Amino acid sequence: MNKDLRKTVIAGNWKMNKTRPEAKALIDEIKPFAAGSGCEVAVCVPFTNIETVVEAVKGTDIKVGAQNVHFEKSGAFTGEISADMLVETGAEYVIIGHSERRQYFGETDETVNKRVKAALAAGLVPIMCVGELLWEREAGITEEVLARQIKLDFAGFAAGEVKRTVIAYEPVWAIGTGKTATSEQAGEACGLIRSVIAKLHGKAAADAVTVQYGGSMNAKNAAELLAQPDVDGGLIGGASLKAADFGEIIKAAGK
Ligand code: PEP
């Protein structure tokens, strides 16, 4: 399937940054870059900023997302937010299984699987993160690690559910480190993810699913990374907090 037929998604991950007035100022600066960009632009912001940003993007095509969601509908889960609660705020996307959540908050493939399932059931678009650690790449087991994550994170999913999920390939060693995967490494890993999906969930799902690259993507390296045939967009941390840099990435994706 032609890459042009898949949705290119450029998503910002603001992580735990920005007060509400700061969020409003940043999104106002981003808006002009998103207009007529030719790709889907989303910003995944702290829970407390969602409504502010949803209000600010009214009348534009920018989508707003969260950075985590719980898999239960309600109950005694102190500190967690359900998918229905997110929908109520106007959020349309949600990042799930980011390496920081896996590393600092005990996220596992089992909980990622449940969270993605819950997000889809509520009508949200999950951005499901997978990626290898540095020692795993150095040990030559990247392929194995990605295949295992895709298998477990999508266990029990129908092809239609896989298709509606955005996958972010994020080599953990490249996140927030300034070390970017080469465009060949990124393209190869995204292609590998697609081939695992083809094997487990069918070619139609593999051809249709959006696979982003994430890991120190910036205004300078975006065009080369996004030119790879299996890279359908980016999940961007640091550079998404600077409107001009994020704007350059959006521009590169829209070409
Ligand atoms: C991320 O947080 O998903 C990310 C890719 O961060 P950065 O762009 O800062 O490496």
Side-chain angles (χ1 to χ4, degrees):
M1 186 186 188
N2 190 326
K3 177 181 182 173
D4 293 341
L5 300 177
R6 287 195 288 270
K7 197 183 255 188
T8 298
V9 182
I10 295 295
N13 174 12
W14 289 9
K15 310 197 189 198
M16 196 175 72
N17 292 294
K18 303 295 171 190
T19 61
R20 281 189 219 184
E22 287 167 351
K24 168 86 173 78
L26 177 57
I27 197 65
D28 283 347
E29 271 189 83
I30 289 172
K31 279 197 271 188
F33 294 106
S37 66
C39 63
E40 175 115 318
V41 178
V43 288
C44 297
V45 305
F47 289 131
T48 52
N49 289 345
I50 294 176
E51 282 171 306
T52 304
V53 178
V54 165
E55 185 59 34
V57 299
K58 274 197 181 137
T60 77
D61 291 329
I62 300 176
K63 310 287 186 202
V64 183
Q67 301 166 14
N68 186 28
V69 64
H70 198 263
F71 44 84
E72 294 292 349
K73 279 202 156 298
S74 62
F77 301 101
T78 303
E80 292 287 327
I81 309 264
S82 76
D84 289 339
M85 288 170 182
L86 282 184
V87 169
E88 203 173 52
T89 64
E92 294 180 71
Y93 275 80
V94 59
I95 297 172
I96 296 175
H98 189 278
S99 64
E100 287 152 16
R101 301 247 15 126
R102 292 180 190 251
Q103 185 181 352
Y104 305 131
F105 302 101
E107 197 80 71
T108 63
D109 289 312
E110 188 187 354
T111 57
V112 168
N113 174 285
K114 289 180 174 176
R115 288 177 207 263
V116 172
K117 194 98 181 154
L120 286 169
L124 294 163
V125 180
I127 299 179
M128 186 183 92
C129 303
V130 295
E132 80 285 2
L133 303 167
L134 183 58
W135 75 263
E136 292 169 328
R137 177 160 283 269
E138 286 174 349
I141 58 168
T142 298
E143 208 173 313
E144 221 174 294
V145 171
L146 295 178
R148 191 194 66 230
Q149 288 176 336
I150 292 294
K151 190 169 183 182
L152 296 175
D153 295 353
F154 280 144
F157 278 49
E161 292 175 306
V162 173
K163 257 193 236 180
R164 287 193 288 129
T165 303
V166 170
I167 299 167
Y169 164 61
E170 297 211 310
V172 180
W173 47 272
I175 297 175
T177 58
K179 269 191 207 161
T180 317
T182 63
S183 53
E184 289 76 23
Q185 286 171 325
E188 194 186 1
C190 291
L192 184 98
I193 287 168
R194 206 178 298 287
S195 67
V196 174
I197 290 172
K199 210 162 90 194
L200 299 174
H201 302 280
K203 189 171 180 317
D207 283 344
V209 71
T210 292
V211 183
Q212 301 173 312
Y213 167 77
S216 300
M217 190 184 272
N218 59 39
K220 287 206 178 86
N221 60 26
E224 201 186 322
L225 287 160
L226 294 166
Q228 286 289 319
D230 275 306
V231 177
D232 308 313
L235 180 57
I236 298 110
S240 74
L241 296 171
K242 295 177 205 126
D245 290 9
F246 195 52
E248 280 303 313
I249 298 171
I250 293 169
K251 237 193 265 173
K255 271 186 198 154

